[in-house]
Amino acid sequence: MAEGAAAIARHYKFDELEKDGAGWVKAACSLVNVAPGLAGNVAHTSFLNRSTITKDVLAKYLADSIKIVNRQNMLISHLREQAQVLKTNVIGCQDSVIKLQIELLAAKDQQLEALQTAVVATVEDTVKTEIKSYSEACKASQPQITSSSVISEDSVKSLVKQIVAEEDRSRNLMMFCLAESNDEQLCEEVTKVFEQLGEKPKIEVCRLGKKSSNTRPVKVTLSSSTFVQQILAKARNLRQSEDFKHIFLCPDRSVDERALHKQLVIDLKKKKEKSTDCDSALIPLL
């Protein structure tokens, strides 16, 4: 484009055309004693009754002006053609850009479709693997079942319910000893506890059990199990808080898990008591 502009300038001699036009204006203004800068204000009456302006002088200026105007008209015409060419090129470029955008969107759609297909296939494979593992576990625990036996529909439904329940619980945690009142703003109170741990997750909260003289625990539901693990990992830091050192956090366990955890706590206490008794018996021997 730059080379084309240079070629036009050379062909129509821009510098020479500008110089000739400026010279003509200066000479014409001198006939009526007007500065070239005020040429736009010169009226035709300024040339009347001037003894120095003869027909020959006017004829010469008229001929020169015709030549200059003709050259300018040719230049304007050519520039108009070049502008049309440039406009056509711009439209062509815009069409190319639109075409590329359409192709890009189509490619993205193909990638998304391929990704969705891959995800569906992965989920199907995972479900088949889990069901196969469950089937093998059932066969191992019940030797009397023959190889021709199959998993019943109720067993599959029970397995699915168990998986869903575990997934739901993985997004929950339990909060104990949070003061309870009739006009409590429970969500705000739980948020304050989490802010003490440097966490600000989106939560859903509710008290569990019927209202009584005892403080009911709070079930907190978060958007993912990742947030639950992050908060539980920091739960011990509440012991250092003057306002929340009495509050305890733990996972949302199933009935069987709660029973197992309770038994583990009892066993741990017994071992601790035995250890204390042994230490006391050894003191007199030291």
Side-chain angles (χ1 to χ4, degrees):
M1 186 177 294
E3 294 179 357
I8 295 173
R10 289 193 299 270
H11 179 75
Y12 290 99
K13 300 178 180 179
F14 280 177
D15 295 339
E16 183 178 328
L17 180 59
E18 183 180 11
K19 182 179 179 181
D20 291 347
W24 186 92
V25 171
K26 182 178 180 181
C29 288
S30 67
L31 294 176
V32 291
N33 298 322
V34 175
L38 301 176
N41 298 326
V42 176
H44 71 282
T45 55
S46 302
F47 293 90
L48 299 177
N49 301 322
R50 295 276 182 170
S51 58
T52 56
I53 302 178
T54 62
K55 289 183 179 181
D56 292 337
V57 172
L58 288 176
K60 180 180 180 304
Y61 275 94
L62 180 60
D64 290 341
S65 66
I66 290 174
K67 294 177 182 178
I68 293 172
V69 171
N70 181 59
R71 289 165 61 191
Q72 291 176 341
N73 284 340
M74 291 175 62
L75 175 60
I76 291 172
S77 177
H78 191 85
L79 290 176
R80 183 180 291 110
E81 293 176 358
Q82 289 296 315
Q84 186 61 39
V85 171
L86 292 174
K87 182 179 179 180
T88 302
N89 291 339
V90 169
I91 293 175
C93 291
Q94 291 176 340
D95 291 340
S96 299
V97 170
I98 294 174
K99 183 179 178 181
L100 290 174
Q101 290 176 337
I102 293 174
E103 293 176 354
L104 179 61
L105 291 174
K108 288 184 176 179
D109 289 340
Q110 292 177 354
Q111 291 178 349
L112 180 59
E113 183 177 354
L115 179 60
Q116 290 174 338
T117 301
V119 170
V120 170
T122 302
V123 172
E124 290 178 349
D125 292 341
T126 302
V127 171
K128 290 178 181 178
T129 301
E130 293 294 334
I131 292 178
K132 182 179 179 182
S133 300
Y134 182 78
S135 177
E136 292 174 351
C138 289
K139 290 179 180 179
S141 62
Q142 300 180 9
Q144 69 276 13
I145 300 179
T146 62
S147 58
S148 60
S149 300
V150 295
I151 300 175
S152 66
E153 183 179 351
D154 292 339
S155 298
V156 174
K157 289 182 178 180
S158 177
L159 175 62
V160 172
K161 288 181 179 179
Q162 181 180 353
I163 293 174
V164 172
E166 290 178 356
E167 175 63 24
D168 290 341
R169 282 198 304 275
S170 70
R171 296 188 297 109
N172 300 336
L173 62 80
M174 301 300 298
M175 180 177 295
F176 295 91
C177 300
L178 179 65
E180 183 176 0
S181 62
N182 294 330
D183 57 347
E184 65 180 358
Q185 300 295 323
L186 189 56
C187 188
E188 294 181 6
E189 296 300 323
V190 173
T191 298
K192 290 179 182 179
V193 176
F194 289 162
E195 288 179 348
Q196 181 68 33
L197 299 176
E199 300 287 343
K200 295 182 179 180
K202 183 178 180 180
I203 60 175
E204 295 179 5
V205 297
C206 66
R207 295 273 185 184
L208 297 183
K210 295 182 178 180
K211 193 170 183 179
S212 64
S213 57
N214 297 324
T215 301
R216 293 177 296 169
V218 179
K219 183 175 78 170
V220 185
T221 301
L222 294 91
S223 58
S224 74
S225 59
T226 301
F227 289 125
V228 172
Q229 296 302 321
Q230 289 177 354
I231 293 174
L232 290 177
K234 300 178 180 179
R236 65 179 63 183
N237 296 337
L238 291 176
R239 305 286 82 77
Q240 303 172 5
S241 170
E242 188 65 29
D243 295 329
F244 306 117
K245 61 183 180 181
H246 59 284
I247 292 177
F248 295 89
L249 303 179
C250 71
D252 181 14
R253 300 184 177 95
S254 65
V255 175
D256 293 338
E257 289 172 340
R258 289 198 296 271
L260 178 60
H261 183 265
K262 182 178 180 179
Q263 185 60 45
L264 288 174
V265 172
I266 294 174
D267 294 342
L268 182 60
K269 287 183 178 180
K270 289 181 179 179
K271 289 182 179 180
K272 187 175 180 180
E273 290 174 357
K274 288 182 179 181
S275 176
T276 303
D277 293 340
C278 291
D279 290 344
S280 299
L282 289 174
I283 289 177
L285 300 177
L286 296 178

